[in-house]
Amino acid sequence: MRFFDPTNTFIEKNCVQNHKKELLALGSKAFIVTGHSSSKKNGSLDDVTAILEEGGIPYEIYNDIEENPSVETVEKAAAAGKEFGADFVIGIGGGSPLDASKAIALLIANPTETGDCFYVAKDLKALPIAAVPTTCGTGSEITPVSVLTRHDIQTKQSISYKLFPDLALVDGKYLLGAGKNLLVNTCVDALCHLTESFIHATSNVYNRMFSSYGLKLWRDLVPFLRSDERLTEDMAQQCMMTSTIAGMAIAQTGTSIPHALSYDVTYNKGVPHGKACGIFLAAYLRRYEKEFPEDVKEILSLLGFEDLDSFAAFLKEILGTVSLSAEEVSTFTDRILQNTKKLSTCPFILTKEDILAIYAQSVRQIQE
Ligand code: NAP
Ligand code: ZN
């Protein structure tokens, strides 16, 4: 049994300002990787640049990272980072810029490599990375994973390298202007991380400590997620902390079947990541319950739900539905059955009938 988590993680109000010393210690020329505009609006970008300016660290901002970033985007950004001569990378934003920042730090540190190295096993190291999350779902600030869109095989896939950020600066205040849909989708992503890690084939006492505590915290988010209430400062801190704790759980185990099923739905239907995972969660738990009823009972009790039916109804209420044609379900099912690595994260054998049953319960099937 092993526990490994090298990221220096701080979770608190005014976190970036409080930990400028740790940020400035990472290098002497910073390449900032962020999304199109949200980090400017929520103050996270200004918080970081103010500290770099105060510390006399030159920086360049790359703000062209799209949602579900592609290998091509990462290559383009890395070329700019190399040209600038960066010796550390700061990812600011949701999971997309954070994941991109890890892969970019890898390419800048290995200037003769291209995106071709991402999906082969090579002994490559990345530049130091700092991560400042502004959504409350992926936990990317604390995980070693970088998920990129691969247009060559028309899906999303984690790169082959384990790239833990050196520093994670986590502050819920950046969530305060976020829309409800983004909050719902990303909180549900964190819920999937907590649950998928709990019931993962490699689950052990360490990741379960994070999952159990995180599920208890998530329970407090339920009334907010199903209401029209505005996010309070305290709730924002709790959303963010829950997400980072969920990241600590998957940093030990990885994700499992709902995530595996989500990638084709996001790539082909444009469904946001958290929603694409969340629509499959209840049906996967229903299948899992047949093998390990006590685990499901524990998860539901930590979350404060009486049974799987009420949990499934709650997820449908906050997420809505996704429609797929019979042909799409059949194609995606065949693809997942070929993904033996991801299937092995389920602690029992998942058959084609099981996958089809999960689809039948999770999506609305439409005639083309
Ligand atoms: P995202 O794709 O990073 O961002 C979604 C949208 O939210 C963007 O339009 C972004 O705008 C906006 N946004 C970000 N922060 C905001 C804020 N505070 N207020 C208002 N808008 C904000 O969303 P995400 O769900 O966080 O990340 C999803 C990605 O993470 C996927 O690619 C997924 O595969 C990956 N992921 C990684 C891990 C891991 O362990 N590494 C785990 C799960 C998921 P801008 O473009 O303007 O910034
Ligand atoms: Zn996720």
Side-chain angles (χ1 to χ4, degrees):
M1 210 163 71
R2 182 183 188 220
F3 177 77
F4 182 64
D5 180 353
T7 304
N8 193 14
T9 307
F10 297 93
I11 311 179
E12 67 206 35
K13 287 185 185 169
N14 299 322
C15 197
V16 172
Q17 289 91 336
N18 294 347
H19 298 287
K20 53 183 154 195
K21 203 170 104 226
E22 288 85 352
L23 185 65
L24 294 174
L26 289 181
S28 59
K29 232 175 164 186
F31 191 59
I32 299 179
V33 175
T34 190
H36 294 127
S37 60
S38 67
S39 62
K40 188 75 199 155
K41 291 181 195 147
N42 63 39
S44 52
L45 183 60
D46 286 348
D47 283 352
V48 168
T49 55
I51 281 161
L52 296 175
E53 283 163 21
E54 199 184 311
I57 301 273
Y59 62 86
E60 183 163 291
I61 300 171
Y62 191 91
N63 69 346
D64 210 8
I65 304 296
E66 76 274 34
E67 293 181 32
N68 307 295
S70 66
V71 170
E72 292 77 11
T73 295
V74 164
E75 286 178 319
K76 205 168 142 207
K82 274 182 236 171
E83 171 97 29
F84 176 63
D87 63 5
F88 73 115
V89 174
I90 306 174
I92 308 175
S96 295
L98 298 194
D99 279 13
S101 71
K102 298 174 187 173
I104 291 164
L106 187 76
L107 286 191
I108 301 178
N110 299 278
T112 57
E113 297 289 348
T114 67
D116 290 345
C117 76
F118 287 155
Y119 296 97
V120 291
K122 288 192 175 184
D123 186 20
L124 302 176
K125 302 273 177 292
L127 293 184
I129 302 160
V132 180
T134 66
T135 62
C136 50
T138 72
S140 180
E141 67 278 8
I142 178 75
T143 77
V145 174
S146 167
V147 186
L148 300 182
T149 294
R150 287 189 65 176
H151 292 302
D152 58 336
I153 56 167
Q154 300 196 335
T155 192
K156 296 175 58 179
Q157 204 177 33
S158 304
I159 67 171
S160 308
Y161 303 85
K162 300 248 176 262
L163 302 173
F164 281 99
D166 297 79
L167 179 65
L169 299 175
V170 183
D171 188 339
K173 76 177 175 186
Y174 302 129
L175 293 174
L176 286 168
K180 193 69 176 248
N181 273 348
L182 182 68
L183 293 171
V184 165
N185 290 338
T186 56
C187 283
V188 167
D189 188 20
L191 171 68
C192 291
H193 296 164
L194 294 165
T195 309
E196 290 176 46
S197 178
F198 193 99
I199 63 180
H200 197 279
T202 63
S203 181
N204 69 39
V205 67
Y206 295 133
N207 64 284
R208 282 200 171 193
M209 283 183 339
F210 292 111
S211 282
S212 299
Y213 186 61
L215 287 165
K216 254 196 263 178
L217 291 176
W218 211 92
R219 177 187 185 136
D220 295 342
L221 309 181
V222 170
F224 165 72
L225 292 173
R226 61 174 11 150
S227 75
D228 295 330
E229 276 169 45
R230 284 184 69 80
L231 191 64
T232 62
E233 273 187 40
D234 285 348
M235 191 62 82
Q237 294 296 344
Q238 181 145 346
C239 287
M240 202 57 119
M241 181 162 79
T242 308
S243 167
T244 301
I245 286 172
M248 290 168 175
I250 52 166
Q252 303 306 312
T253 56
T255 56
S256 188
I257 304 303
H259 269 69
L261 292 167
S262 79
Y263 295 142
D264 283 324
V265 175
T266 293
Y267 187 88
N268 292 284
K269 311 301 283 184
V271 178
H273 173 70
K275 176 171 177 173
C277 299
I279 54 166
F280 294 111
L281 186 61
Y284 180 53
L285 281 180
R286 220 180 276 285
R287 174 65 189 88
Y288 184 93
E289 189 183 33
K290 289 188 189 159
E291 315 285 333
F292 302 100
E294 290 307 316
D295 282 356
V296 174
K297 214 166 139 192
E298 191 174 340
I299 289 166
L300 291 173
S301 139
L302 288 164
L303 284 169
F305 285 91
E306 275 195 358
D307 51 34
L308 263 178
D309 287 344
S310 53
F311 181 61
F314 162 72
L315 286 177
K316 205 162 178 183
E317 175 192 331
I318 61 167
L319 291 175
T321 50
V322 169
S323 301
L324 297 181
S325 69
E327 197 188 332
E328 284 168 332
V329 170
S330 163
T331 308
F332 298 167
T333 300
D334 289 344
R335 287 171 69 106
I336 192 83
L337 287 168
Q338 284 159 20
N339 190 347
T340 48
K341 194 170 160 214
K342 215 58 187 168
L343 284 177
S344 71
T345 62
C346 174
F348 54 89
I349 292 172
L350 213 53
T351 65
K352 182 169 186 172
E353 289 64 41
D354 290 328
I355 304 281
L356 287 170
I358 291 172
Y359 268 111
Q361 292 168 56
S362 307
V363 303
R364 203 163 65 89
Q365 290 207 21
I366 46 162
Q367 304 293 333
E368 282 277 89

